[in-house]
Amino acid sequence: WEGQPVAIVDIDDVLANFRSGFSNWLRKKFSVEANVDSKEYYFITALSKINLNSEYVFKMFLDDEGFANLTVDNSNVKLLHELKSQGYWIHLLTARPEEELQCLYDTYYWVTKNNIPCNAISFSPEKFRWCAKSKYYDANKIAFAIDDAPKHAEDYAKHGIKCLVPEKPYNEHLNHKDIFHFNTYRQAVSILERESLLG
C-alpha cells in the first residue's frame, strides 16, 4: 500500500451470494427451506427446524466446501473493477472465521478462482475495530466501506466511515447520514460520484 484511497469491502452477500448458497445447501442436506428474503440476518427460523446447534450446522457447511462454491454477485464485482481502475486500494474484510482453515483456504480459493479485484484480505468479527487499528485509518485514507450486515454498517457509519449497503430485507431499516442503500451497479456509482468518491 502506497497511500492510495482505500475501500473496505465485505465478501458475503456483497461479492459472494452466501445466503442463496447456504439456503440451497440446507435444502439439499436437510430438506429445510430457508427464505433468502427473510428479515432475519441468521436463518434462525429455518435452523430451528433441524434440531442441531446452528454453529454445528455452519461447520458442516464449511467442511462441505460451501464457501468455495458460492456464486458471484457480478454487479458488485464490476463495481470493484471500476474502483480499481480509479486507483483504489481494495481490502476485503470478512467476518468469516479465519481460525477454521477450510474457511481460510476456501476464501482465498474463491477470490482467485473468480478473479475478484482486491489488494488484500483480512478476517475480523469486529470490522470497525480492525479498521481503527489499521495503517489506513491512521493515515485517514479509508474512503468508504461496502457491507450488507446491519451491525457492521452501523459501526462504520457512527464512526464517520461512509458505508454503501446492498439493500436486503434484513438491512432496509438502516437509517444514517453515512449509510447509502443501493440495488444496482449504476446506483452505487451514482452514490460514489455524488459523495465525491469517484471521479
Side-chain angles (χ1 to χ4, degrees), residues 5-6 83 86 88 140-144 162 164 178 180 187-199:
V6 178
L83 293 173
Q86 298 237 0
Y88 271 93
N140 198 29
K141 285 294 186 176
I142 298 178
F144 63 93
K162 295 180 195 309
L164 272 69
D178 283 331
F180 306 88
Q187 282 179 336
V189 167
S190 296
I191 290 164
L192 292 173
E193 288 173 345
R194 191 178 70 232
E195 295 297 311
S196 304
L197 295 167
L198 215 52

Side-chain angles (χ1 to χ4, degrees), residues 21-184:
F22 188 54
S23 171
N24 291 338
W25 178 83
L26 283 173
R27 187 181 306 113
K28 286 180 198 156
K29 194 88 174 172
F30 297 104
S31 301
V32 165
E33 291 294 328
N35 179 9
V36 293
D37 295 321
S38 164
K39 289 185 182 290
E40 297 175 342
Y41 184 63
Y42 302 104
F43 292 127
I44 303 298
T45 303
L47 289 172
S48 69
K49 296 173 185 166
I50 298 173
N51 204 21
L52 287 172
N53 177 285
S54 60
E55 289 296 316
Y56 179 72
V57 174
F58 183 66
K59 178 78 166 69
M60 288 176 71
F61 175 76
L62 265 181
D63 292 342
D64 275 356
E65 300 181 353
F67 281 124
N69 298 306
L70 295 176
T71 60
V72 176
D73 186 310
N74 291 311
S75 177
N76 289 338
V77 171
K78 181 181 177 185
L79 179 61
L80 291 203
H81 281 290
E82 178 62 24
L83 293 173
K84 198 108 168 89
S85 76
Q86 298 237 0
Y88 271 93
W89 178 272
I90 298 170
H91 198 124
L92 303 186
L93 182 58
T94 176
R96 291 177 179 183
E98 181 180 24
E99 66 279 5
E100 294 283 356
L101 291 183
Q102 184 76 52
C103 176
L104 181 73
Y105 298 146
D106 285 351
T107 299
Y108 280 93
Y109 168 79
W110 183 89
V111 167
T112 304
K113 176 181 82 167
N114 293 295
N115 193 28
I116 306 297
C118 74
N119 300 97
I121 306 172
S122 294
F123 298 74
S124 176
E126 294 296 336
K127 293 184 182 180
F128 172 74
R129 192 182 301 160
W130 182 94
C131 288
K133 292 178 178 176
S134 72
K135 57 192 170 186
Y136 315 135
Y137 194 80
D138 290 343
N140 198 29
K141 285 294 186 176
I142 298 178
F144 63 93
I146 307 175
D147 207 301
D148 67 301
K151 168 188 161 39
H152 301 306
E154 286 179 325
D155 272 358
Y156 286 133
K158 74 183 180 192
H159 291 98
I161 296 175
K162 295 180 195 309
C163 188
L164 272 69
V165 175
E167 194 158 6
K168 312 280 184 183
Y170 54 82
N171 65 29
E172 59 193 14
H173 66 282
L174 294 176
N175 185 13
H176 188 283
K177 68 178 179 60
D178 283 331
I179 288 178
F180 306 88
H181 291 277
F182 71 98
N183 284 309
T184 65

